[in-house]
Each structure stands twice: as structure tokens, then as C-alpha cells.
């Protein structure tokens, strides 16, 4: 049977003429079409129920492999630079220790208040009030807020702030306001100094050990 004859049979094929109870009597063209449909259905079902899941699983494994390679490279880099990290840790601990030594102890707070008073007087300011406020505890240190209320000229305020910055202990300045009071200016500012909270540090270390 040549191609032209097969084409003529396919053209003359009518679905309505199919005898579903006697498939053996079907023409060759009908059998070929039906077999093709069955084959396509089997291949499609096989792909849907088996191959598609395997392709998805394969893609997931490929992505996981890429992530594992990146993790390995990161960890390998850290291991190769472990000595450098240890040296940096030692430097950080030394710097942290020097900062802690700048935090005043309880017995030094009165002296710090005297230093602030001396800085205000040295800048030519009139002191209305320098008052220590309640402490504020954090995990590693305790804040010691100090309310400062002084009078003077604007340039005197600059000299006062510079003197505070030059103290041997850490003092930060916050939330300042300047108002005109009679012939002078009134400066209200919140100063904060800090004290290392040794007890909180010990509790934190114990908590980490328990974990």
C-alpha cells in the first residue's frame, strides 16, 4: 500500500462507520488512528504519573546540590581563615575591655558629677541643676541619666560640650533644648554615662551554658 492509497483511505474514513463491537473489521486507517490514540494516552499517563515527579525531584536535588556547594565553600573559607578570626576576636576582646574600663564604677559617680559641674563652671555657665536620675538596666550595662540645667551664652554652651567630650569617662549628650531666659540662654540637656552590669553578664553566660 503506497502513501497515496493510505491517504485516500484516511480521507474516506468516517467515525460514524466504526463498529465498536467488532474492531477486527475496522479498516487499516481506523486501526492505525485508534492505536496512535491509545499509545499517546499511555505515554501521557506514564509521563504524568511517573516521569513528571522524577523530573521535579531531580530539579530539587540539583538546587540542593548548588546550595550545598555554596555552604561548603563558605565553611571552607571560614576554616582556612580560622587563625585570622581568632586574632580578630582577641583584638575585639581587648578593645571591649578597654571600653569597660572607661565606664565609671559606683564609687566614681559622685566624682563624675563633680567633673560635669567643673566643666560647666569652667565654660562660664551658671548652674541651675545637675541631678542624677534613676538608673536604667540593660543586659550588659546600666545607664546613669543626668539632667543638666544651666544658663549662659551660646558660645559658652559649645565650650561646655567640648569639656564633657574631653572627660576620661564615657558621657553622651541627648535631647537638648535652648530657650531665652531674661538676658541669658537656658540650656537643658540629658547626659548619660554607663556602668558595666557585671551581674547581668554572669546571668547571660549561665543562661547560654544551660542552653
Amino acid at each position: 500500500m503506497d502513501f497515496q492509497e493510505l491517504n485516500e483511505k484516511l480521507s474516506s474514513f468516517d467515525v460514524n462507520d466504526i463498529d465498536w463491537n467488532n474492531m477486527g473489521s475496522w479498516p487499516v486507517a481506523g486501526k492505525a488512528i485508534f492505536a496512535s490514540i491509545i499509545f499517546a494516552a499511555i505515554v501521557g499517563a506514564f509521563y504524568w504519573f511517573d516521569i513528571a515527579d522524577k523530573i521535579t525531584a531531580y530539579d530539587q536535588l540539583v538546587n540542593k546540590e548548588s546550595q550545598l556547594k555554596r555552604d561548603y565553600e563558605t565553611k571552607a573559607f571560614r576554616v582556612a581563615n580560622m587563625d585570622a578570626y581568632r586574632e580578630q576576636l582577641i583584638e575585639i576582646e581587648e578593645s571591649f575591655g578597654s571600653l569597660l574600663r572607661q565606664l565609671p564604677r559606683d564609687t566614681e559617680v559622685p566624682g563624675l558629677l563633680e567633673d560635669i559641674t567643673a566643666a560647666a563652671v569652667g565654660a562660664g555657665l551658671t548652674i541651675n541643676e545637675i541631678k542624677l536620675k534613676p538608673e536604667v538596666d540593660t543586659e550588659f550595662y546600666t545607664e546613669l541619666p543626668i539632667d543638666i540645667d544651666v544658663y549662659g551664652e551660646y558660645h559658652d554652651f559649645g565650650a561646655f560640650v567640648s569639656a564633657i567630650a574631653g572627660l576620661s569617662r564615657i558621657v553622651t549628650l541627648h535631647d537638648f533644648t535652648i530657650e531665652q531666659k531674661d538676658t541669658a540662654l537656658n540650656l537643658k540637656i540629658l547626659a548619660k554615662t554607663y556602668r558595666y552590669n557585671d551581674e547581668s553578664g554572669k546571668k547571660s553566660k549561665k543562661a547560654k551554658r544551660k542552653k
Side-chain angles (χ1 to χ4, degrees), residues 186-199:
N186 177 215
L187 170 66
K188 292 182 179 180
I189 193 167
L190 175 65
K192 291 183 181 180
T193 188
Y194 307 88
R195 174 168 52 81
Y196 179 56
N197 194 343
D198 188 53
E199 291 301 320

Side-chain angles (χ1 to χ4, degrees), residues 32-153:
I33 294 174
F34 185 75
S36 299
I37 293 173
I38 295 299
F39 178 76
I42 293 173
V43 171
F46 180 72
Y47 175 84
W48 179 261
F49 291 106
D50 187 59
I51 297 178
D53 290 341
K54 291 182 178 179
I55 291 176
T56 301
Y58 173 77
D59 292 338
Q60 291 175 348
L61 289 174
V62 170
N63 294 332
K64 186 176 181 180
E65 180 186 15
S66 300
Q67 182 62 45
L68 290 173
K69 285 182 179 178
R70 289 193 293 269
D71 293 343
Y72 173 78
E73 291 173 356
T74 300
K75 292 178 180 179
F77 176 81
R78 290 176 179 173
V79 170
N81 293 273
M82 185 62 68
D83 292 338
Y85 286 143
R86 287 172 178 168
E87 292 178 1
Q88 290 179 1
L89 180 60
I90 293 173
E91 292 177 0
I92 291 172
E93 288 176 345
E94 291 176 351
S95 299
F96 184 65
S98 65
L99 288 174
L100 288 180
R101 287 191 291 273
Q102 295 183 47
L103 300 181
R105 296 184 292 272
D106 288 336
T107 56
E108 294 177 320
V109 172
L112 179 60
L113 294 178
E114 292 177 1
D115 290 341
I116 294 175
T117 301
V121 173
L125 300 175
T126 301
I127 300 173
N128 181 42
E129 183 180 49
I130 296 179
K131 182 176 67 174
L132 190 64
K133 298 179 67 176
E135 296 181 347
V136 179
D137 291 327
T138 66
E139 184 176 0
F140 295 105
Y141 63 89
T142 297
E143 280 186 4
L144 305 173
I146 304 170
D147 273 337
I148 300 174
D149 188 348
V150 293
Y151 292 91
E153 300 297 329

